[in-house]
Structures are given as C-alpha cells and as structure tokens.
C-alpha cells in the first residue's frame, strides 16, 4: 500500500474549516456557499487521486453513500427551498467533518489535534 504524503492528512480539515462559515450560513452569500462546496469537492478529488482511494474505510460507508445519493432528490422535491438549502448545506458540512475526522485520525495525536481544531 502506498504511503500518503504528510500534507494530505491536513488537506480535508483545512478545507472544511475554510468552507464552514459558508456552509453554516448559506443564505448570506450564495456565491460563497457554491465556492465552499466546490472547495470540498476539490479536496476530496485531490485526496482520491493522491492516495489512490477516497479515504479511510468505515462501517457506515455504504449507508452514507446512499444518504448522499438521496440528498439531491430530497432537495429537488422539497416544497420550500428557502429552508431546504440550509439543511442541505448543514448535512454536507456534517459529512465533511466526519470524513475529515476519519481520514485524519489515524493516530491518537492526530485525532486529538483534529478534535481540538474543530472544537476551537
């Protein structure tokens, strides 16, 4: 198995931290929210291409994938788009935090640093 570069471990937490304000308050500046979503997608693609895998495996990968696949359907079918978009971006933010924590927390020190980073 190919070893990952050391910078790759911090790519996702930094991308999530940068995207957090726009994803938590998506109606303030819509363009920033779109840019934040693109930033997360780019970070995930970089991780996949560099590490040759999308991330660390977890037992909830398949349910999470099905959940992500159904999100666009739920957004499209929602009768009230004004309240749906903040929920959608909040869910994407939660998934991004989970994935960043899982992909970063391979050692006790890295997991502690990630937890402190997200809690501060």
């Amino acid at each position: 198995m190919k070893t990952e570069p050391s910078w790759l471990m911090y790519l996702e937490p930094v991308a999530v931290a940068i995207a957090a304000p726009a994803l938590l308050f998506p109606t303030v500046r819509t363009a920033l929210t779109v840019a934040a979503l693109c930033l997360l997608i780019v970070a995930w693609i970089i991780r996949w291409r560099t590490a040759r895998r999308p991330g660390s495996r977890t037992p909830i990968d398949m349910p999470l994938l099905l959940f992500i696949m159904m999100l666009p359907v739920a957004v499209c079918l929602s009768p009230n788009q004004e309240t749906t978009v903040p929920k959608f971006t909040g869910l994407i933010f939660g998934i991004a935090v989970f994935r960043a924590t899982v992909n970063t927390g391979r050692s006790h020190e890295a997991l502690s640093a990630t937890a402190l980073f997200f809690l501060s």
Side-chain angles (χ1 to χ4, degrees), residues 16 20 45 59:
V16 171
I45 290 172

Side-chain angles (χ1 to χ4, degrees), residues 30-83:
T30 309
L32 287 178
T33 303
V34 173
L37 290 170
C38 291
L39 174 67
L40 290 178
I41 291 170
V42 167
W44 290 332
I45 290 172
I46 289 172
R47 165 171 274 292
W48 197 338
R49 301 244 335 152
T50 305
R52 304 273 192 246
R53 58 190 173 89
S56 299
R57 302 282 309 206
T58 67
I60 65 166
D61 282 347
M62 290 313 276
L64 195 59
L65 179 64
L66 293 173
F67 179 72
I68 291 169
M69 289 172 51
M70 290 308 296
L71 278 176
V73 175
V75 170
C76 290
L77 295 177
S78 173
N80 189 354
Q81 294 294 320
E82 294 159 358
T83 58

Side-chain angles (χ1 to χ4, degrees), residues 1-41:
M1 184 162 131
K2 183 181 171 186
T3 60
E4 298 176 0
S6 60
W7 59 266
L8 189 61
M9 181 172 63
Y10 300 105
L11 176 68
E12 279 183 271
V14 170
V16 171
I18 292 170
L23 294 177
L24 292 173
F25 305 104
T27 57
V28 175
R29 303 253 176 163
T30 309
L32 287 178
T33 303
V34 173
L37 290 170
C38 291
L39 174 67
L40 290 178
I41 291 170

